[in-house]
Amino acid sequence: QVQLVESGGGSVQPGGSLRLSCEASISAFSIYNMEWYRQAPGKEREWVATVTPGGSANYADSVKGRFFIFRDNGRNTVYLRMNSLKPEDTAVYYCHAYGMNFWGKGTLVTVSS
């Protein structure tokens, strides 16, 4: 059974930080580009960041310089470190393996005063 389990969300004030984790039960995890997406209430899901098998990262303009994606292939886990959080970052965050159509339940991040 293929599973993606996100965790680490919570409620923080603007300027705060969180680290999200995604444990992936995927055969040959290390060959996939891993991604984070998010979906705010009433909006479409949007791409946030991607990390390649070798660790190279790309980010959406809205999070560049604040968020950092990285992975541990030995643990089949991808992370998203979120710094300097803004209210507009409020969303359910999902991880994704590029080329697959599997999604977890997501983890909720709420940024408010």
Side-chain angles (χ1 to χ4, degrees):
Q1 183 180 15
V2 176
Q3 288 187 326
L4 298 169
V5 181
E6 301 95 340
S7 63
S11 181
V12 298
Q13 292 184 321
S17 297
L18 287 171
R19 189 182 75 168
L20 308 183
S21 299
C22 173
E23 297 182 33
S25 297
I26 301 173
S27 180
F29 170 84
S30 63
I31 73 171
Y32 290 97
N33 292 311
M34 295 299 298
E35 304 178 312
W36 284 96
Y37 284 77
R38 67 186 182 186
Q39 187 168 24
K43 297 183 179 179
E44 291 191 340
R45 184 176 58 203
E46 66 171 336
W47 171 75
V48 175
T50 298
V51 60
T52 70
S56 297
N58 284 286
Y59 302 92
D61 288 342
S62 59
V63 307
K64 189 175 182 179
R66 300 188 298 119
F67 291 11
F68 302 92
I69 185 172
F70 55 100
R71 67 197 294 161
D72 186 334
N73 288 333
R75 295 181 176 180
N76 282 18
T77 301
V78 61
Y79 304 91
L80 185 69
R81 180 66 182 179
M82 310 164 68
N83 298 322
S84 302
L85 283 162
K86 304 175 180 179
E88 51 264 45
D89 295 319
T90 296
V92 177
Y93 284 72
Y94 302 89
C95 67
H96 178 250
Y98 185 84
M100 288 189 167
N101 216 325
F102 304 104
W103 298 88
K105 296 179 180 179
T107 185
L108 176 63
V109 173
T110 302
V111 186
S112 65
S113 299

